[in-house]
Amino acid sequence: MDQNKHLKNMRIALLLKQDAQDQITTSTTGQAIIFNVVNDKVVGVENETLEIQKFQNPSVWAMGKNINKMYLPEVNENLKKVCSKIGVIVDPHEELNNNHLFKNYII
């Protein structure tokens, strides 16, 4: 069963490293795409550029943006534990393949 089904209204963030988008490996920025989901449908999308040096704590950023779930390029157990304490689900990008809402956004 899809773990997002129990939440009717969600904000889901897809965080990308800049080099994953345009192959610029010296970049100091990343990208956050925030999806507003209501009743299992994407009803809005926000785009935000992140300065990597200032983005040391994804859990604080997620809490400030009212994010319910984040997909990150890399996930470690410590980050998952911290985020779960504040009610944010964290999964690696690979899990996007299992999410029917976001299959269309995967290139």
Side-chain angles (χ1 to χ4, degrees), residues 59-78:
S59 59
V60 172
W61 176 83
M63 199 166 59
K65 296 287 183 176
N66 297 317
I67 301 297
N68 304 102
K69 183 166 187 158
M70 288 191 294
Y71 290 98
L72 301 167
E74 300 167 7
V75 177
N76 63 51
E77 288 305 312
N78 187 45

Side-chain angles (χ1 to χ4, degrees), residues 20 28 30 33 42-44 47 50 70 74 78 85 97 99 101:
T28 59
I33 304 169
V42 175
V43 297
N47 218 338
L50 305 170
M70 288 191 294
E74 300 167 7
N78 187 45
K85 288 181 182 180
N97 293 322
N99 189 311
L101 282 176

Side-chain angles (χ1 to χ4, degrees), residues 1-10 12 37-40 68-69 87-89 91 100-101:
M1 184 168 130
D2 185 1
Q3 60 182 322
N4 294 331
K5 290 264 184 197
H6 68 283
L7 294 173
K8 298 264 185 210
N9 299 317
M10 294 185 71
I12 301 172
V37 178
V38 176
N39 294 325
D40 214 21
N68 304 102
K69 183 166 187 158
V88 178
I89 301 165
D91 280 325
H100 70 280
L101 282 176

